[in-house]
Amino acid sequence: MEIRYDNKVCIFAPLSSKLDKRACLRLFSKLTEEQKQIGLDLSYVQDCTIDFCETLLKFSKEKSIGIFNITSDIFALFNIMNIDKSVNLFVSEMDFEENTRRLINRKFTFV
């Protein structure tokens, strides 16, 4: 896991291609210790398990977290599970640091 500190943010980048239960517990134990704004770089991650999604939802109730560099498969999973409603999703690291251009899934219907 790579950890980068900037002026006001701390960015965690898991280096494994799959976030399973073991990697998830290790990642979120580090995230709970952090006091700065937390960013999660998923550029290396290709797959995640349900354990990661559930832990992410629990963690987002305690602290604010931003996720960026998300693959399309994981982004679709986040939208289906409504994770985008409780976690800030961004396209790039620059968008996260500036807190602009959030990815939002709006479910429009015709009446």
Side-chain angles (χ1 to χ4, degrees), residues 24-55:
C24 175
L25 292 175
R26 184 173 166 233
L27 173 67
F28 285 102
S29 67
K30 295 280 188 187
L31 291 177
T32 54
E33 299 170 1
E34 192 55 48
Q35 299 298 322
K36 294 183 177 185
Q37 184 181 4
I38 298 171
L40 191 58
D41 182 3
L42 296 183
S43 58
Y44 297 110
V45 179
Q46 299 298 317
D47 188 23
C48 64
T49 62
I50 191 71
D51 296 319
F52 173 75
C53 295
E54 289 175 350
T55 309

Side-chain angles (χ1 to χ4, degrees), residues 15-28:
L15 299 177
S16 62
S17 64
K18 184 176 183 179
L19 288 176
D20 56 357
K21 187 172 185 172
R22 180 179 171 274
C24 175
L25 292 175
R26 184 173 166 233
L27 173 67
F28 285 102

Side-chain angles (χ1 to χ4, degrees), residues 85 104-111:
K85 305 300 183 217
I104 299 173
N105 181 21
R106 292 193 166 84
K107 297 179 181 176
F108 293 113
T109 58
F110 289 104
V111 180

